[in-house]
Amino acid sequence: MELPLRLRRSKDGRLVYSIPIWYRVLMAALAAIVAGALFAVPGSPAAWAILALLALAGLYEESWSFEPAGRRIAHRAGLLVAARSISIPFDEVERFRLVPHVRGTIPGSEDERVRNAAALAAGDAYDSSRRRSFVKKPYVSLVLDRADGSRYLIDRMGARRAPRLRRDAASIASLCEKPLREG
């Protein structure tokens, strides 16, 4: 399951790219249903395992915060109680990139080049009427490149949703005053 991140602007001007609230509500509702079933029919180890997984899924956090006042980017990922955090000053960011990747293609091949171009063109020229291939599924990733050469994957989604990722990436790059490149 792909977990879609959502971009929202906070009252203080920050952009926050994080797991939407509906995800936590859904996990809490599913955990409540499983917990209710456990009290009705106790003793199922599978139900306890499912309940534990739902609780962990509900506690998972993934967020990128772009703070213009402090001129920094904060990333937090992991369980709410033990999430890993990093902070990147705007000055260390070289650029943001939208990078295509088509699963199942041979790196450097003509097929990869053509399919990557089609994935980036999603919304404009991407042929969604074609029969979908489960082997060669196109993705587009938003990547943050630092001046020291390190890279961070901010988000990755199917090429059909690339226009939304492109809009979000443009908003983030504009706030950080950094270029946004494709490819």
Side-chain angles (χ1 to χ4, degrees), residues 47-69:
W48 283 106
I50 291 170
L51 182 62
L53 287 175
L54 287 170
L56 289 175
L59 293 175
Y60 179 73
E61 178 181 21
E62 173 83 23
S63 70
W64 289 87
S65 179
F66 304 88
E67 304 169 8

Side-chain angles (χ1 to χ4, degrees), residues 65-142:
S65 179
F66 304 88
E67 304 169 8
R71 297 197 46 79
R72 70 182 191 97
I73 299 168
H75 177 241
R76 189 167 159 83
L79 295 180
L80 285 174
V81 293
R84 180 176 161 248
S85 298
I86 60 167
S87 180
I88 304 168
F90 281 6
D91 297 338
E92 293 181 13
V93 176
E94 183 177 333
R95 67 179 172 235
F96 293 92
R97 288 185 301 135
L98 289 172
V99 180
H101 170 73
V102 179
R103 183 182 70 198
T105 57
I106 299 170
S109 69
E110 181 65 18
D111 182 41
E112 179 197 35
R113 187 188 65 72
V114 169
R115 290 180 184 264
N116 281 350
L120 273 179
D124 303 325
Y126 186 72
D127 185 6
S128 61
S129 64
R130 266 188 356 188
R131 186 173 170 183
R132 288 179 41 180
S133 169
F134 290 105
V135 176
K136 295 186 178 182
K137 185 172 180 183
Y139 293 93
V140 177
S141 301
L142 174 57

